[in-house]
Amino acid sequence: MTAFARNQWYVAAYGREIGRELLGRTILNEPIAFYRTESDDTVIALADRCVHRRYPLTAGRLDGDTVVCGYHGFTYDTGGTCVFVPGQKRVPRTARVPSYPIVEQDSLVWVWIGDPALADPRSVPRAPWLADPRWTTVGGMEPIDADYGLLVDNLLDLSHETYLHSGYIGTPEVAETPITTEVDEGAGVVRVSRHMDDAECPPFYARSTGIDGRITRWQDIEYHAPCLYLLHSRIAPAGVLPRPDGSDPDAFHVEITYAITPSTDRHVYDFWAVSRDFAQDDEEVTTFLHDLNRTVVLQDVAALNLLQKALDTEREGYQELSINIDTGGLAARRILARLAAEGEKTAPVVASP
């Protein structure tokens, strides 16, 4: 099981998912209730358990900017302090629920699970195209019943596209082309690149760009542990190479974003988004990219659910085999283990009012 790194930012939701209805998500085994304030549209995150009898607050309701427990009416303000107890005027001093630091950025809502004193909003990694009008984005979220480390492995080794996603995004060249890997251990960033000078054009790109024939294809991954994965994808007709200054104005650019958020030990939220800088007003292309990419994501969901079941029945002490294509994934495992160990040095408390 991949250990959780608590003192980190994780994506809890797309901004569009949170409004004036209570939304429940479990993140790193912590049940959390999310909502927006009526006064200024700020996202609030409170522990999803009433202090009285542990009833889920998401089964209650909002009253202005306060949350009313649906069982006995205990009412909490935006900081988690209980402001009303039924049947008595005095509110017990300990009647409060934890609140969690929040950052809303690039259409994503990030939550900090850990010591709130360490929650630096400036450390949230960026995916600016998600909120940039110069890009058109589709996206969604699919839950996976597996260790979140399996999804990290999956995304850092794209050679599986050739076999698992053939006919969608995979072609033989993806598995055949060697990768280059760079690791910044201190920053917790892993970069994996695969550049294909003469490759088959998969349907994902052929139908969205109109390219007929073979392509030049770049796949440049940035993984910002523990949560954010960015795939900078570029394609152009075969033979079209970047200019000497590194620019590629003749290429089609697609930014593929994944947020990998552990829910429980055997459950992970797979947030995904596809952003493009071409055919931006073409609704047919938008629908096609959404539907095809969701199909690809669901193929990963099925594969990882199956893999987790297989691993759960493996004999103790089984040793897996790793090869060159696993370099990025192995680096990510080291970084995640370090971040988890560092988090253990700080008491795993949550913010209080």
Side-chain angles (χ1 to χ4, degrees):
M1 181 184 73
T2 306
F4 294 153
R6 294 187 62 85
N7 289 321
Q8 300 291 326
W9 292 101
Y10 292 91
V11 171
Y14 291 104
R16 64 178 180 269
E17 294 183 276
I18 301 178
R20 294 293 296 162
E21 297 289 333
L22 290 161
L23 172 70
R25 290 268 157 86
T26 298
I27 299 175
L28 275 62
N29 289 318
E30 300 276 355
I32 305 175
F34 298 90
Y35 68 98
R36 288 189 185 274
T37 59
E38 192 173 49
S39 55
D40 61 6
D41 210 39
T42 299
V43 176
I44 303 298
L46 303 179
D48 191 17
R49 293 291 185 270
C50 180
V51 72
H52 178 229
R53 289 292 182 266
R54 310 304 293 166
Y55 194 72
L57 291 182
T58 47
R61 62 180 176 85
L62 293 176
D63 181 8
D65 288 346
T66 63
V67 181
V68 181
C69 178
Y71 195 14
H72 294 105
F74 277 60
T75 302
Y76 302 89
D77 67 15
T78 58
T81 299
C82 184
V83 295
F84 173 78
V85 172
Q88 63 185 59
K89 293 183 178 180
R90 176 182 168 273
V91 177
R93 181 179 56 83
T94 57
R96 57 175 58 194
V97 298
S99 62
Y100 298 81
I102 289 289
V103 170
E104 187 168 8
Q105 176 178 281
D106 301 331
S107 299
L108 301 172
V109 174
W110 297 78
V111 63
W112 179 271
I113 307 293
D115 183 351
L118 302 178
D120 182 0
R122 296 170 299 179
S123 66
V124 177
R126 299 299 306 269
W129 43 84
L130 295 178
D132 190 329
R134 294 172 295 181
W135 294 78
T136 297
T137 298
V138 296
M141 188 276 283
E142 299 296 336
I144 304 176
D145 295 322
D147 183 327
Y148 83 100
L150 298 183
L151 181 56
V152 175
D153 278 349
N154 170 277
L155 293 173
L156 282 169
D157 174 16
L158 293 182
S159 68
H160 79 274
E161 289 183 350
T162 299
Y163 306 99
L164 188 60
H165 306 308
S166 176
Y168 296 93
I169 59 174
T171 67
E173 294 81 11
V174 180
E176 294 169 358
T177 303
I179 61 169
T180 60
T181 305
E182 298 178 10
V183 182
D184 187 333
E185 295 278 355
V189 178
V190 179
R191 295 180 174 86
V192 179
S193 296
R194 179 184 278 107
H195 297 172
M196 295 158 274
D197 293 334
D198 183 17
E200 179 184 333
C201 188
F204 183 85
Y205 290 113
R207 286 188 57 184
S208 61
T209 67
I211 291 180
D212 182 16
R214 298 183 69 80
I215 59 172
T216 300
R217 185 177 183 183
W218 300 265
Q219 292 178 327
D220 295 302
I221 296 168
E222 288 180 51
Y223 171 58
H224 298 258
C227 187
L228 191 65
Y229 170 99
L230 310 174
L231 170 58
H232 311 296
S233 180
R234 297 170 290 163
I235 70 160
V240 176
L241 301 175
R243 293 176 178 177
D245 64 0
S247 64
D248 55 359
D250 297 317
F252 295 88
H253 299 83
V254 177
E255 296 288 349
I256 298 175
T257 306
Y258 283 88
I260 305 164
T261 300
S263 175
T264 67
D265 295 338
R266 286 293 185 272
H267 190 84
V268 55
Y269 298 122
D270 183 1
F271 294 90
W272 60 270
V274 176
S275 307
R276 69 182 191 276
D277 67 353
F278 58 91
Q280 292 170 280
D281 299 322
D282 191 322
E283 289 298 326
E284 185 177 346
V285 171
T286 297
T287 300
F288 168 73
L289 289 178
H290 173 275
D291 293 350
L292 189 145
N293 202 74
R294 184 170 185 267
T295 296
V296 168
V297 170
L298 290 175
Q299 288 176 326
D300 282 334
V301 170
L304 295 181
N305 286 349
L306 178 61
L307 177 57
Q308 184 64 67
K309 289 180 179 179
L311 293 175
D312 287 342
T313 60
E314 271 296 354
R315 66 182 185 276
E316 187 175 352
Y318 173 80
Q319 294 296 314
E320 64 181 6
L321 174 68
S322 296
I323 57 176
N324 290 340
I325 58 174
D326 300 307
T327 306
L330 294 174
R333 291 183 187 183
R334 292 195 308 270
I335 291 171
L336 290 173
R338 174 177 61 79
L339 294 177
E342 290 174 354
E344 288 296 320
K345 297 177 184 177
T346 304
V349 296
V350 294
S352 58

